[in-house]
Amino acid sequence: MCYTGWMSRFTERIPQGSLLFAPMEGITDEPYRLAIQEAFPEWNYLSTDFLRLPSQGQYSDKKILEHFGHHCYSNQVLKKKTGYQILTTAHANTAPHIQRIEELGFDHLDINLGCPSKKVNSHKGGAYLLDDLTSLQKVIRDIRSNFTGLFTAKIRIGYRDDSKFLDILKLLEDEGVEAVTLHGRTRDQLYEGIADWSYIKKAVNSLSIPLIGNGDCWSLLDIERMFDETGCHGIMLGRGALKTPWMATIYEEHRDRLFAVNEESLLFERKGYLDYYFHLLERNYRKRDLDDDQLLRRFKAFSRYLFDDYENSESIRSQFLRSRTLNEFKEKLSCLK
Ligand SMILES: Cc1cc2nc3c(=O)[nH]c(=O)nc-3n(C[C@H](O)[C@H](O)[C@H](O)COP(=O)(O)O)c2cc1C
């Protein structure tokens, strides 16, 4: 099959200059994504975290649909705005799952090739595949030959080092992957140091498919710098999106004059955004019958980077993380300026 004629369907869906909310396990489930979409619809694109395909047996349709979320599935706007991420290996039962995902009408699959988890890598999945290009090719073929929809890959610059970086990119493009998201670290670097954006520029120059840059974008200035320095098609934010979930909103508002924006001056708006964010999160998780304790655990997970911009951020964060009840958490939120 030839996919070159379809390349524009990625750009149609995710235009040049887009900001994407990164897939994050334990965070970006359906209620969370619905809250983000309602509060901050300026994010151009969202993603599920990864569904790990099994080595044996077949997931039910119910499981496949639940991972994406029934509401997202039946809402055409949300469906077009959300990627379905999977994680698989050369010995997993990939083809039948991909066929079912296609039959169910999903039209964007993203493969996770960046996960650094020891457990996932020991089963030869995630970033492991960046070191074993024979297996990588098999996995990509298993998917591409069974899926006619948009197919993208999310990678790091390598497993132990960057020695296979250009070969990985070439393999992905040659095998029909339609866009790549690149986190500028190796697997062994985990989250150490700062992501190296020069690899994003190298990838932009060596690929003819779109490249989404990722890694250590924490501010409007970082976004502007990543676009300028690398020429990437779009930018994906993970921890930066958890720190400032309204980043795409303020980016949209100021994108034509970012050079003149004093980010400090935008901080006065954050309390309103924070209140709205938690209000929608609570409403959406209550609809899923989460009780106070479950909700408190979720709120704490969302708080890891959320207070980084405050003076005394360490002490504020630890106060929130020490809350024993949901009411205590909410009281602290109401006292925050
Ligand atoms: C809590 C957490 C969970 C993550 N889960 C996933 C995941 O399910 N799939 C994935 O491709 N990347 C996952 N990532 C990686 C992010 O999508 C992103 O590539 C990484 O955090 C680097 O970007 P950042 O510097 O903007 O955070 C996760 C990251 C974090 C912090």
Side-chain angles (χ1 to χ4, degrees):
M1 278 194 265
C2 168
Y3 294 91
T4 44
W6 295 355
M7 252 159 60
S8 65
R9 65 185 179 173
F10 179 84
T11 338
E12 257 169 42
R13 191 180 281 224
I14 302 177
Q16 174 81 41
S18 287
L19 293 187
L20 296 85
F21 202 106
M24 283 181 275
E25 193 186 14
I27 307 280
T28 50
D29 59 7
E30 189 188 37
Y32 185 88
R33 283 183 271 116
L34 290 175
I36 288 293
Q37 168 63 13
E38 187 170 345
F40 312 117
E42 293 79 8
W43 287 102
N44 298 90
Y45 213 67
L46 309 166
S47 175
T48 70
D49 55 348
F50 62 84
L51 178 74
R52 192 167 156 189
L53 302 188
S55 310
Q56 287 173 350
Q58 168 106 27
Y59 286 151
S60 64
D61 288 358
K62 184 164 176 274
K63 181 162 172 94
I64 294 172
L65 287 168
E66 264 170 10
H67 187 73
F68 193 77
H70 291 278
H71 187 81
C72 263
Y73 180 70
S74 52
N75 177 310
Q76 284 312 308
V77 174
L78 285 172
K79 192 156 174 247
K80 278 272 169 256
K81 208 178 158 169
T82 310
Y84 196 124
Q85 191 180 65
I86 55 163
L87 188 145
T88 190
T89 68
H91 53 270
N93 206 10
T94 303
H97 283 94
I98 302 301
Q99 285 157 10
R100 200 60 204 130
I101 287 171
E102 165 119 0
E103 282 158 11
L104 287 169
F106 290 104
D107 54 8
H108 176 194
L109 265 187
D110 182 57
I111 179 168
N112 179 329
L113 297 170
C115 180
S117 139
K118 275 192 183 145
K119 187 169 166 211
V120 166
N121 295 164
S122 70
H123 288 98
K124 305 191 171 179
Y128 167 87
L129 288 166
L130 302 177
D131 206 32
D132 176 354
L133 300 199
T134 308
S135 295
L136 177 62
Q137 186 177 47
K138 176 178 184 309
V139 166
I140 299 296
R141 285 184 178 176
D142 283 347
I143 299 172
R144 185 71 286 182
S145 60
N146 286 291
F147 189 67
T148 60
L150 181 63
F151 176 34
T152 59
K154 183 160 176 289
I155 67 172
R156 288 176 174 246
I157 61 183
Y159 191 71
R160 299 245 176 271
D161 57 40
D162 64 356
S163 55
K164 296 181 180 157
F165 179 57
L166 293 177
D167 293 334
I168 295 163
L169 295 176
K170 181 165 175 5
L171 185 156
L172 295 175
E173 182 163 7
D174 287 352
E175 296 295 338
V177 167
E178 293 165 79
V180 172
T181 302
L182 173 64
H183 175 191
R185 287 185 174 88
T186 62
R187 179 267 174 204
D188 278 358
Q189 285 172 323
L190 300 172
Y191 283 89
E192 281 162 19
I194 297 176
D196 187 342
W197 295 353
S198 69
Y199 288 94
I200 295 171
K201 186 173 181 181
K202 275 183 210 149
V204 169
N205 292 335
S206 77
L207 287 172
S208 40
I209 51 176
L211 193 284
I212 305 296
N214 172 235
D216 288 298
C217 248
W218 295 96
S219 63
L220 292 177
L221 192 66
D222 287 343
I223 292 172
E224 190 186 29
R225 260 195 329 110
M226 190 188 274
F227 275 129
D228 285 353
E229 287 177 17
T230 70
C232 61
H233 178 87
I235 297 179
M236 179 179 278
L237 285 85
R239 293 162 303 159
L242 292 180
K243 173 177 160 240
T244 314
W246 48 92
M247 186 78 90
T249 306
I250 55 179
Y251 177 68
E252 190 58 41
E253 199 180 325
H254 300 285
R255 65 189 297 170
D256 296 333
R257 47 192 173 82
L258 278 179
F259 58 90
V261 173
N262 172 357
E263 292 195 53
E264 292 272 307
S265 72
L266 300 179
L267 293 179
F268 78 94
E269 299 173 348
R270 69 187 161 189
K271 181 65 167 78
Y273 287 135
L274 263 182
D275 287 342
Y276 192 37
Y277 177 59
F278 277 111
H279 164 73
L280 291 179
L281 288 168
E282 173 161 11
R283 195 197 60 191
N284 287 356
Y285 283 108
R286 291 281 189 212
K287 283 188 196 160
R288 305 295 161 104
D289 294 329
L290 260 64
D291 63 25
D292 280 14
D293 287 347
Q294 291 167 317
L295 204 49
L296 177 64
R297 273 199 293 281
R298 307 285 307 163
F299 278 15
K300 286 183 179 179
F302 304 146
S303 300
R304 189 147 161 222
Y305 304 97
L306 200 53
F307 306 109
D308 283 7
D309 270 336
Y310 281 83
E311 263 181 56
N312 305 326
S313 58
E314 273 307 323
S315 122
I316 292 178
R317 181 179 18 260
S318 76
Q319 280 177 38
F320 276 93
L321 295 183
R322 280 203 313 265
S323 301
R324 275 161 301 176
T325 63
L326 184 65
N327 277 343
E328 200 180 320
F329 187 100
K330 285 174 51 181
E331 222 161 87
K332 286 183 178 132
L333 199 59
S334 68
C335 296
L336 206 62
K337 296 257 170 14

